[in-house]
Amino acid sequence: MTPLSWIYMGIVWTIILTLNVFCFYHIFKKKKDVSDDTDAQE
Amino acid sequence: MLKGRGDGWATRFGLIMAMAGNAVGLGNFLRFPGKAAPFGGAFMVPYFITLLLVGIPLVWIEWTIGRHGGGYNHGSTPGMFHRLWSNRISKYLGIFGVLIPAMVGIYYIYIESWSLGYAWQTATGMYWGKTTNTEMGAVFNNYLGKSDSFFSFSPQAYFFFLITFALNIFVFSRGISRGIEIVAKYCMPTLLVLGTILAIRVITLPPIEGRTISDGLAQIWRIDDWSVLLKSDIWIAAAGQIFFTLSVGLGMVHTYASYLKKHEDITMSGLAAGATNEFVEVILGSTIAIPAAVLFFGVTQTQTIASEGTFSLGFFALPVIFQQMPGGQFFGTLWFVLLFLAGLTSSMAMFTPLLVFLEDELQLTHRQAVKYVGIATFFLMQPVILFMNHGLLDEIDYWMGEFGLVLFIAIETVLFSWIYGMDKGWKEMHLGADMKIPRIFYYIMKYVTPVFTVGLVVWWFFDSLSDRILMTGVDADSRPYLWLARIMMLGMAAFLIWGVHHAWKTHPKFLDVAETSEEKETP
């Protein structure tokens, strides 16, 4: 692996991991918000 | 419960895991390294371009078509396409979305069962001592019962096939929330853990004869020759891999999405499922098979192994490697269990469009649908198993898993982006959306995705389709078996054509068939 290859792989991995964190953070955050709202109504 | 119609998804996490599980399959761990390695690092360039321009847009398009059709109680693409385009031909075009996954499922379950059989063989050390690729090739042929005889049959392979088939039928019979969702919720995290353990094990392997894991990773990530990007092969291979890995063009995403309600998010959920699949394929899939093979065999031999076919790497080379690795029996068993779980989460989606078609359009009960699908597919699987020697499986794979899939994608993108209209499609996609899709994707979905996919079908037509139709170069002995495969596919297609014709004549929901897509707003 050349330094450029490591950088290329690092960028791609970072993008994919960030995308996963972004999606699941929002999905679980929304789920928590919904359950908090439900608790408050009760 | 997320319940658009009938049975439904109990949780959003369950839905995303099922969608991701549908996408994560044998292709992520076997097909992807096999496709990438022969091209070196250059493969990843067209891979990411087609992912962005075609793959991700298609995911959103299919989720949208599915949820839209589900609003009319359609769980399969004949009805969904009918609601997008009121032309009488549209429902018949939708047949591909039921036919393709069912026919792919007929051979996929058998392949999935090999992983289970090999997990057993590895755990018990049955092939231990066979330390060359040639010897492992013989073990593989022996496992499948491949020989010069008329039938290819082995009691051991058949036993594991029966277990796998029964497991799939059991999951179908429990429906979406109590079957598919539960399996996905447990299997997907397990698969991620197993994949991570194996990837860490491979990355931490010590150098062998001067070769390091870095040399293996270079096969995926180092671009030595940019000129290969000018060849059509690499683009076709990358596009095919993207379609296959995201499980688009198979009608399964549509069916899963049809259980969503009109205002439930699909943009974020679709992206999450796609991102999970890419994590498994690009990060885990690229870190296990190829780097390990390069470390033990060197670059040249790895490229040869990868170009020999999808199974050479996973079923010949890796078992050889596991035998030379510390703790190899344990990690080898994990590898095949991982493959089995990846296969299971995909195969359980493959017959769902057919089951739902029988229930929604032909008004069968769930129990009846499971019974008929179980019996019919079991009988259709027998020629695939028994005549594997004669290319029957490859013939079905070509017409359904390769050409049919691309054709169906071209049809659905044209239907959605041009006939239904991208303005309406974009609006429909964003109903209840948790994320606004960047506007540039509007233009990509409107122009790039359909032009690319139609172009691919046209290229295919001129490049090799006539040779395949006429069986050019196929020896006379194999032709009857290829015809048998074609009769099986045409038989299933004929049944579906009859089913659509019958449903549209008899089902009460089609008696107001004059309804067009403009009248859709109140499902």
Side-chain angles (χ1 to χ4, degrees), chain A residues 1-2 5-6 8-9 12-13 16-17 19-20 22-24 26-28 30-31, chain B residues 12-13 16 44 48 214 217-218 221-222 268 271-272 275-276 279 282-283 287 434:
Chain A
M1 286 277 273
T2 62
S5 310
W6 283 111
Y8 175 36
M9 189 183 98
V12 170
W13 282 34
I16 291 172
L17 289 170
L19 196 60
N20 273 281
F22 168 80
C23 291
F24 285 101
H26 280 87
I27 285 164
F28 285 116
K30 188 178 179 189
K31 192 178 163 189
Chain B
R12 190 179 179 191
F13 179 70
I16 293 167
M44 296 311 282
F48 287 119
S214 163
L217 289 171
W221 299 105
R222 193 181 70 206
M268 183 70 86
L271 190 63
T276 308
F279 170 76
V282 176
I283 297 183
T287 313
D434 284 349

Side-chain angles (χ1 to χ4, degrees), chain B residues 115-322:
Chain B
S115 309
L116 188 63
Y118 262 65
W120 171 256
Q121 289 208 1
T122 311
T124 54
M126 282 171 78
Y127 58 76
W128 240 240
K130 312 280 186 198
T131 52
T132 64
N133 276 337
T134 316
E135 285 178 313
M136 278 314 297
V139 169
F140 188 66
N141 285 338
N142 186 42
Y143 176 78
L144 296 181
K146 276 183 162 183
S147 64
D148 295 334
S149 62
F150 186 67
F151 293 120
S152 51
F153 179 82
S154 105
Q156 191 187 18
Y158 202 78
F159 171 73
F160 285 107
F161 157 71
L162 288 177
I163 292 178
T164 310
F165 180 75
L167 187 61
N168 274 278
I169 293 294
F170 176 71
V171 177
F172 303 148
S173 69
R174 294 184 58 85
I176 295 290
S177 59
R178 292 190 310 130
I180 290 171
E181 181 171 350
I182 289 176
V183 173
K185 270 168 75 174
Y186 288 102
C187 283
M188 275 306 291
T190 310
L191 184 150
L192 292 173
V193 171
L194 295 185
T196 307
I197 292 170
L198 282 164
I200 292 170
R201 170 69 278 203
V202 171
I203 286 174
T204 54
L205 283 169
I208 296 174
E209 295 171 8
R211 294 185 297 269
T212 64
I213 280 300
S214 163
D215 299 328
L217 289 171
Q219 271 308 293
I220 306 278
W221 299 105
R222 193 181 70 206
I223 306 172
D224 292 324
D225 181 11
W226 287 91
S227 68
V228 293
L229 293 176
L230 298 173
K231 295 178 182 169
S232 62
D233 297 16
I234 193 170
W235 290 89
I236 301 292
Q241 181 58 29
I242 287 296
F243 296 154
F244 202 83
T245 190
L246 292 172
S247 286
V248 289
L250 286 164
M252 305 182 306
V253 172
H254 308 76
T255 297
Y256 277 8
S258 73
Y259 289 95
L260 289 169
K261 284 187 286 192
K262 191 177 178 181
H263 289 281
E264 272 165 355
D265 164 78
I266 53 178
T267 57
M268 183 70 86
S269 300
L271 190 63
T276 308
N277 179 68
E278 288 312 301
F279 170 76
V280 174
E281 178 150 299
V282 176
I283 297 183
L284 300 181
S286 72
T287 313
I288 301 172
I290 293 290
V294 170
L295 189 70
F296 282 86
F297 301 128
V299 173
T300 314
Q301 204 183 336
T302 300
Q303 285 186 330
T304 311
I305 294 165
S307 60
E308 279 170 358
T310 306
F311 306 118
S312 304
L313 205 58
F315 288 89
F316 304 178
L318 284 180
V320 172
I321 292 168
F322 292 132

Side-chain angles (χ1 to χ4, degrees), chain B residues 56-127:
Chain B
I56 297 294
L58 272 168
V59 168
W60 281 322
I61 287 173
E62 293 199 348
W63 277 68
T64 309
I65 294 174
R67 188 185 62 177
H68 177 261
Y72 293 100
N73 286 322
H74 296 302
S76 54
T77 47
M80 291 171 185
F81 283 11
H82 168 77
R83 299 297 174 179
L84 289 179
W85 185 32
S86 57
N87 190 296
R88 65 168 63 182
I89 198 175
S90 61
K91 56 186 177 287
Y92 292 104
L93 293 174
I95 282 170
F96 286 109
V98 183
L99 173 70
I100 293 171
M103 291 309 296
V104 170
I106 278 167
Y107 64 82
Y108 194 92
I109 286 183
Y110 186 46
I111 296 171
E112 180 189 328
S113 75
W114 303 348
S115 309
L116 188 63
Y118 262 65
W120 171 256
Q121 289 208 1
T122 311
T124 54
M126 282 171 78
Y127 58 76

Side-chain angles (χ1 to χ4, degrees), chain B residues 310-361:
Chain B
T310 306
F311 306 118
S312 304
L313 205 58
F315 288 89
F316 304 178
L318 284 180
V320 172
I321 292 168
F322 292 132
Q323 292 182 63
Q324 298 169 40
M325 188 191 277
Q329 199 162 356
F330 172 72
F331 289 108
T333 308
L334 287 193
W335 165 252
F336 287 112
V337 170
L338 169 80
L339 288 186
F340 178 70
L341 292 181
L344 178 65
T345 53
S346 295
S347 67
M348 65 189 188
M350 286 174 183
F351 294 113
T352 313
L354 179 58
L355 284 168
V356 171
F357 175 77
L358 295 178
E359 289 174 48
D360 285 352
E361 319 300 18

